Amino acid sequence: MIVAETERLIISKFVIADAPFFLELINTPKFKKFVGDRNVKTVAQAEERITNGHLKNYETLGYGFYKLLLKSENNTPIGTSGITQRDTLELPDIGFAMLPQYEGQGYGLESSKLILQLAKDVFKIPKIAAITSEHNAGSIKLIEKLGLTYEKRVKPFEDDVELMLFAKTLL
């Protein structure tokens, strides 16, 4: 189901059939390095993650992470962008990831700008966060372009890794 469109992208909800793409995306070297190894190694495990993560969030939160489809390449899936609410953070947070061959082409910024607009206008989220490693210069640059500012360091996951938290008031 299409959620929104930009000039170059279709932003769509994940479905179970997206499991092979999702598996590829979350096992890219940069995803593993900067987001973490989700220990998803099979299509069946990817289907489970989509069901228990993406689909559940759409139903319970009204939002989640979305698949990015590139219009100029017959709607080929190239990445993800969206919002989640983690139990370990007080604010919903925005995130993004691209397949390596689509990084550095502005798709993360393009999609995330629209996701922030949806967060404000549709989901009525008053303040949003973004978390990233201090070593992920590309992510920090994109987060700052979106108007989020550094607030503090957090350890939101069981791995006890400290991340930078940025935030922006929307409403």
Side-chain angles (χ1 to χ4, degrees):
M1 180 178 138
I2 295 175
V3 175
E5 291 187 44
T6 69
E7 184 178 327
R8 301 183 296 169
L9 301 169
I10 294 172
I11 299 172
S12 154
K13 288 184 177 180
F14 274 94
V15 296
I16 299 295
D18 294 320
F21 160 70
F22 182 69
L23 179 65
E24 178 185 6
L25 179 67
I26 67 171
N27 282 293
T28 62
K30 278 193 176 177
F31 192 98
K32 284 182 160 184
K33 179 179 180 180
F34 292 124
V35 180
D37 187 345
R38 297 299 185 238
N39 201 27
V40 176
K41 307 299 180 204
T42 67
V43 171
Q45 289 173 325
E47 289 172 347
E48 185 177 321
R49 287 291 296 230
I50 290 171
T51 300
N52 296 327
H54 298 77
L55 301 182
K56 182 179 176 188
N57 284 343
Y58 302 149
E59 186 178 317
T60 59
L61 300 173
Y63 53 81
F65 280 97
Y66 304 105
K67 174 179 56 176
L68 304 178
L69 305 169
L70 188 56
K71 292 178 183 179
S72 67
E73 291 188 15
N74 294 320
N75 299 337
T76 298
I78 65 164
T80 187
S81 187
I83 307 165
T84 193
Q85 178 64 63
R86 301 176 201 278
D87 294 338
T88 55
L89 293 176
E90 62 186 69
L91 297 173
D93 69 282
I94 188 168
F96 39 83
M98 299 297 143
L99 291 174
Q101 62 270 36
Y102 298 101
E103 292 174 355
Q105 298 177 47
Y107 300 123
L109 180 62
E110 184 176 326
S111 61
S112 295
K113 280 183 175 180
L114 185 53
I115 295 295
L116 282 180
Q117 198 63 49
L118 292 171
K120 178 182 177 184
D121 297 341
V122 178
F123 309 132
K124 306 297 184 197
I125 297 172
K127 187 174 182 180
I128 197 154
I131 52 175
T132 192
S133 162
E134 66 183 326
H135 305 293
N136 193 343
S139 183
I140 292 169
K141 185 176 176 182
L142 196 156
I143 289 167
E144 289 176 337
K145 280 184 179 180
L146 293 170
L148 283 81
T149 55
Y150 173 77
E151 287 197 353
K152 62 184 176 181
R153 293 188 177 269
V154 295
K155 293 182 179 179
F157 304 114
E158 291 178 8
D159 62 11
D160 205 37
V161 172
E162 190 174 70
L163 300 175
M164 300 173 71
L165 183 137
F166 295 76
K168 178 180 182 174
T169 299
L170 300 176
L171 300 176

